[in-house]
Amino acid sequence: MAFPDGFLWGAATAAYQIEGSPLADGAGASIWHRFCHTPGLVHGGDTGDVACDHYRRWPEDIALMRRLGLQSYRFSIAWGRVLPQGTGTANSAGLDFYERLVDQLLEAGIAPNATLYHWDLPAALDDRGGWLNRDSADWFAEYADLVFRRLDGRVKMWTTLNEPWVVMDGGYLSGALAPGHRNLFEAPIVAHNLLRAHGKAVQAYRASGAHRIGLVVNLEPKYPASDAPQDRVATRRAHAYMNRHFMDPVFRGRYDAVLVRMFGAAWPAFPASDLDLIRTPIDFLGINYYTRNVVRDDAGRFPLPVERPVQRGATYTETGWEVFPQGLLDTLNWVRTRYGNPPVYITENGAAFDDPPVAQGGAVHDALRTDYLRQHLRVLHRAIAEGCDLRGYYAWSLLDNLEWAHGYSKRFGLVHVDYRNQRRTLKDSGAWYARVIASNGQCL
Ligand SMILES: N=[N+]=NCCCCNC(=O)[C@@H]1[C@H]2[C@H](O)[C@@H](O)[C@H](O)[C@@H](CO)[C@@H]12
């Protein structure tokens, strides 16, 4: 099932999850450095102090990307490496690191796809209120403009934010992610400032950039557990809270009324002009897809109860997510029909499984991951046939890495990392993905 000519095949990572050396060469600490170094918050007390040591081993990792035949590599830039205090004086060593990485990617024939914010807010800005401060949109635009002026042209695909929903829900409601707040009144303020920051960065790009910029969202289709009215109402609420929450303002210039009602008194009165900023047109949408959610009656409770009722006969990943490729097709058709069929890249898709250990001779027989990826790629081919403007796909992740509060206990990589000695081993799924890329999907 060949994909269209020019379909872009890649893999993705994020700075704090792979780089290590979070304070090297003048870099400023991030909220994830602080979060990991706060006892009890991350599995096993794991931190990003070393991670995959990519800050030093990036040439070796580019060689791995060449071996996979990647056409593009999605990575994120650590704001605190570039602006240690978040604003003000730039750190040339930090900019130099990303410039060298980009230049070598281009040398290898791999198109860089840079994400400006993948959750690692400079701690100095969190001390000034972080995303709760309306000034955060200006701080982000200053950072974005600095990086655009340094790298645009060599980087031709930019995304502003990675998964603002997770930043809001994990960082300010459940508290499971940095900065670990649990405050219903903070969540909509953070979401709104993230969206304003996105809009200001897009406007900054239109002033100086010459290529393409987008936004990356996590979309998770919601299905009612039954046809009972209370299950259907709960499903619509879950859909409003996660999926329409950011898509509606960015593409339609207004918030979902169901969402506003759910927050009730916790929903502030935002200036109408903010929505004009937020809906500044983008060039493409990045969708991170992992799983679906089956939703039962929430009895009107908010925040929503986080539950994933077990589906008989389904396969589940190590993060507890049901393997449900149909949800990816349903999501892509929903985006196509509700938001005017924007150009879409799958910017993350993958799974953590309990991989077998590295076998003698260096192999990792991760058949479950290969099967997960194959099922989802086959669905993409159908989505294109059904009219979705799907431009490319990035597997999550190039390397096993720091899975946030799960620490190093969950492995998503196409490449195994032995954290004791940083040895990389290409897994069977990685070798298989290389064949998919080489055949433009023909071998699926
Ligand atoms: N309720 N509920 N919801 C679950 C919704 C899933 C949200 N998590 C993600 O999408 C994260 C994304 C992240 O970019 C990457 O940095 C992470 O390593 C991967 C794997 O975890 C995924």
Side-chain angles (χ1 to χ4, degrees), residues 343-380:
V344 166
Y345 292 83
I346 302 301
T347 33
E348 290 180 28
N349 175 244
F353 289 109
D354 184 15
D355 295 344
V358 179
Q360 288 298 330
V364 178
H365 303 305
D366 59 332
L368 288 173
R369 181 168 295 103
T370 299
D371 192 49
Y372 176 99
L373 296 173
R374 178 188 292 113
Q375 289 185 68
H376 287 80
L377 287 175
R378 284 178 171 168
V379 153
L380 293 187

Side-chain angles (χ1 to χ4, degrees), residues 14 17 74 118-119 162-163 165-166 169 218 220 222 242 288 290-291 293 306 308 319 321 348 396 401-404 412:
Q17 294 183 268
R74 177 178 176 242
H118 201 125
W119 306 0
N162 179 73
E163 300 194 345
W165 180 89
V166 178
D169 182 75
N218 60 290
E220 185 177 278
K222 313 295 181 183
M242 184 186 280
N288 293 353
Y290 287 92
T291 187
N293 206 184
V306 179
R308 294 180 179 278
T319 49
W321 298 341
E348 290 180 28
W396 183 268
N401 60 53
L402 179 72
E403 180 46 37
W404 305 112
F412 279 84

Side-chain angles (χ1 to χ4, degrees), residues 43-63:
H43 173 87
D46 290 343
T47 76
D49 289 355
V50 178
C52 306
D53 199 22
H54 179 76
Y55 185 71
R56 299 185 318 144
R57 295 169 187 266
W58 59 272
E60 173 186 354
D61 292 333
I62 291 180

Side-chain angles (χ1 to χ4, degrees), residues 389-406:
D389 186 1
L390 192 58
R391 304 288 182 90
Y393 174 90
Y394 294 82
W396 183 268
S397 180
L398 172 70
L399 302 171
D400 291 337
N401 60 53
L402 179 72
E403 180 46 37
W404 305 112
H406 288 298

Side-chain angles (χ1 to χ4, degrees), residues 36-47:
C36 289
H37 283 271
T38 305
L41 298 183
V42 175
H43 173 87
D46 290 343
T47 76

